[in-house]
Structures are given as C-alpha cells and as structure tokens.
Amino acid sequence: MIDMHNSVEIYDHLMNGRIINKRHLGSHGDFEVNPMFEEVIKNLEVYRNQYEMCGFSLIANADFIYIVKGNAYELSKTDIAMKAYCLLLIIGKYITSHNYKLDKLSAASGGLTSSDIDKISLLSDTIEILQRANMNENLFKSIKSTLVERQIMFENPITQNFVLSDSGMAFYEELTADFIAG
C-alpha cells in the first residue's frame, strides 16, 4: 500500500531533479537505508504509472531511482547530467593522480575535504573544463549545486566532507567497466 506522506515527499524530490538513492547519509554521518527508495521499490509499478501519466519515465535500478521527461532512458543527454559527469571526471582525475583509492569518495568516513576541493580548483585542467561546461562559478559551488543538490554526492553532516552516493558510485563503476571492456 502506498504511503501518501512518503509519496508527496518522493514526488517533490524527483520533480526537483534529485535522485533517490538506496542509502543516504544519516544525521550521525553514517549510511542508512533510504525510506523513500524502499517506498518506491515496494510499489514500483504504481509509481511508474503515476509518472508515466505525467509524461515522465521513472528509472529504477538496484541502487537509485530518477525520472526523465518522456520516454528517454538516458539521463546522460541532459545539461545537468553533462555537468555532473564533468565534475565527477575532474574529481576522479584528482583521486587517481594522488594515488587515492575510490574508497576515499565512497566511505562515509572519507570523502573530499575542503582542502581537496581547493587543490582541485587550482589545476589548470579544472578551470578550463569548468569554463567549457558553462560552470563559471567556483568548483565548491559547482559541486554543491550540481552534485550535492541532485544527491549524486552527500555532504557528511559530521565532517562536512563530500561523499559519493550510490548513484555517484555507479558513474565510476560504469566508467571502470567500460575501460576494462574496451
């Protein structure tokens, strides 16, 4: 049975361009099960039908849920998605060039520090990529407005570090799979 209170919250969340991840960071700074994700998965066909009647496609996999306008099943074609990909690539380049493991970004106790973001923003490639992607604000603001606001990253409430969500991790897993397959 649909939980109407959760349904309203889910609608607001998805219609504002946010992703619903299987897990979210709780107030204690640890990953917790996301009740919105569980609500949609338990009633997946009802929710798919609801969004289809509004002209959207609800895309759900084992780790996250999002909507797209119409029947387009590729989020990667939107302007916001391209900005998110650019930011994730910039972050990934920094992580690998400093010999960090991807766990630095995915562990609730890890994440990008403000010092890391400052270092990334000083790299010449970063400045050029941000300009070409029409993200003329600083890197910190871009991460907050594009990745955190959309739930691709979370800001840990205890450490203030930026940690990848399930959807953010999927980006790197897909990239790694393509690299290994290619």
Side-chain angles (χ1 to χ4, degrees):
M1 172 153 257
I2 300 289
D3 179 319
M4 294 309 265
H5 176 73
N6 274 348
S7 180
V8 170
E9 190 177 344
I10 289 164
Y11 180 82
D12 182 55
H13 197 84
L14 292 173
M15 293 306 289
N16 282 301
R18 296 183 189 108
I19 296 170
I20 297 174
N21 291 281
K22 185 176 187 175
R23 303 174 306 152
H24 65 136
L25 279 179
S27 60
H28 298 293
D30 293 320
F31 282 109
E32 300 174 349
V33 174
N34 186 342
M36 288 193 297
F37 182 87
E38 288 188 333
E39 167 68 18
V40 174
I41 293 301
K42 286 180 191 172
N43 302 291
L44 187 57
E45 289 311 311
V46 175
Y47 278 96
R48 277 200 170 126
N49 187 46
Q50 174 187 347
Y51 288 96
E52 187 177 320
M53 289 188 322
C54 296
F56 293 89
S57 293
L58 183 122
I59 314 300
N61 65 35
D63 295 317
F64 57 94
I65 299 163
Y66 61 93
I67 59 172
V68 291
K69 185 85 169 139
N71 290 322
Y73 282 89
E74 282 197 45
L75 180 66
S76 62
K77 299 204 185 276
T78 68
D79 186 45
I80 289 292
M82 294 310 294
K83 287 179 179 183
Y85 287 155
C86 285
L87 290 169
L88 290 170
L89 285 171
I90 289 168
I91 292 167
K93 181 181 180 213
Y94 172 79
I95 294 297
T96 57
S97 69
H98 285 77
N99 294 322
Y100 294 125
K101 293 185 177 184
L102 199 51
D103 294 351
K104 175 177 174 56
L105 295 175
S106 62
S109 60
L112 280 180
T113 65
S114 58
S115 174
D116 289 325
I117 294 171
D118 289 341
K119 290 175 189 172
I120 296 169
S121 67
L122 296 175
L123 301 172
S124 61
D125 290 349
T126 300
I127 297 163
E128 183 178 348
I129 291 169
L130 290 175
Q131 288 174 342
R132 290 180 186 254
N134 292 323
M135 290 185 277
N136 295 323
E137 58 196 1
N138 70 39
L139 181 63
F140 180 80
K141 286 183 181 178
S142 292
I143 288 171
K144 291 275 284 188
S145 66
T146 303
L147 300 180
V148 176
E149 177 63 28
R150 307 263 181 243
Q151 307 281 295
I152 298 167
M153 290 188 103
F154 299 122
E155 186 172 0
N156 188 312
I158 305 300
T159 64
Q160 277 67 54
N161 292 350
F162 296 98
V163 179
L164 287 175
S165 67
D166 295 320
S167 59
M169 274 306 295
F171 168 81
Y172 289 110
E173 289 167 3
E174 183 180 319
L175 193 62
T176 303
D178 288 348
F179 183 72
I180 292 170

